[in-house]
Amino acid sequence: MIMSHDYVAIYPGSFDPITNGHVDLVKRTLRVFDKIIVAIATNPGKDGSLFTVPERLQMVREVFKNLRGRVQADSFEGLLVDYAERKRATVIIRGLRAISDFEYEFQMAMMNHRLKPKLETFFMMTGESEFYISSRLVKEVVSLGGNVAGLVPENVFKHLKQKLTQ
Ligand code: PNS
């Protein structure tokens, strides 16, 4: 019998930085899949990211250090569907918060499906306590002196404060 845990799930994103919304989603996804690759997309040339890719990778690895066998952090260039193929993954995981996420996510899922019909996108609802968390807002709040404790993992909180309030 083929079980879902025979497959690798890829959780792609910018993760600039990883938030507790992402962490909750990874942990819940591990109830269904045995292995998840948190895959940071690199966008050379036009990248307005706060953290470098190595910094983002390091933060993800710190967060999941106790789940190393099951959660892997990686980065990729180019198309997500090609990366998924290289990793022999058949499922992409994406989180949905509000309805406003839907249009963008739906477009990406359809485009990815057109490029690689065998690759499926699974949507997970964000946990209710993480519903309003986004990397963008977290960065804005920290840069303006607001408190985001509890919205991001502790190591990320420290990295954010170092970067944004020096
Ligand atoms: O966290 P984000 O920024 O919403 O993630 C978007 C991401 C990284 C999943 C998307 O931009 C992506 O897949 N980038 C890789 C390049 C690619 O495949 N683009 C076509 C998507 S249909």
Side-chain angles (χ1 to χ4, degrees), residues 6-17:
D6 291 323
Y7 298 100
V8 179
I10 292 190
Y11 182 25
S14 306
F15 302 102
D16 184 42

Side-chain angles (χ1 to χ4, degrees), residues 5 10 15-16 22-23 32 42 49 54 60 64 66 79 90 92 101 106 110 122 128 134 142 144 154 156 160 166:
H5 62 243
I10 292 190
F15 302 102
D16 184 42
H22 299 126
V23 175
V32 184
T42 59
S49 304
V60 174
F64 295 112
N66 296 329
L79 283 178
T90 49
I92 292 170
D101 282 346
F106 191 66
M110 295 300 279
F122 282 18
E128 58 185 316
S134 72
V142 174
L144 298 172
E154 264 177 44
V156 173
L160 269 168
Q166 316 156 343

Side-chain angles (χ1 to χ4, degrees), residues 71-83:
V71 182
Q72 198 190 323
D74 196 11
S75 60
F76 69 98
E77 278 179 27
L79 283 178
L80 171 61
V81 291
D82 292 336
Y83 173 75

Side-chain angles (χ1 to χ4, degrees), residues 12 18 20 23 26 42 46 48 55 64 66 68 73 81 87 120 122 126 135 138 140 147 152 154:
I18 186 164
N20 281 347
V23 175
V26 167
T42 59
K46 58 172 189 99
E55 285 171 337
F64 295 112
N66 296 329
R68 239 178 221 156
V81 291
K87 291 286 163 184
E120 293 293 344
F122 282 18
T126 299
S135 303
V138 161
E140 185 173 320
N147 185 2
V152 291
E154 264 177 44

Side-chain angles (χ1 to χ4, degrees), residues 12-14 41 76 78-80 94 104 108 111-112:
S14 306
F76 69 98
L79 283 178
L80 171 61
R94 289 287 290 172
Y104 169 60
M108 279 204 301
M111 180 62 87
N112 285 332

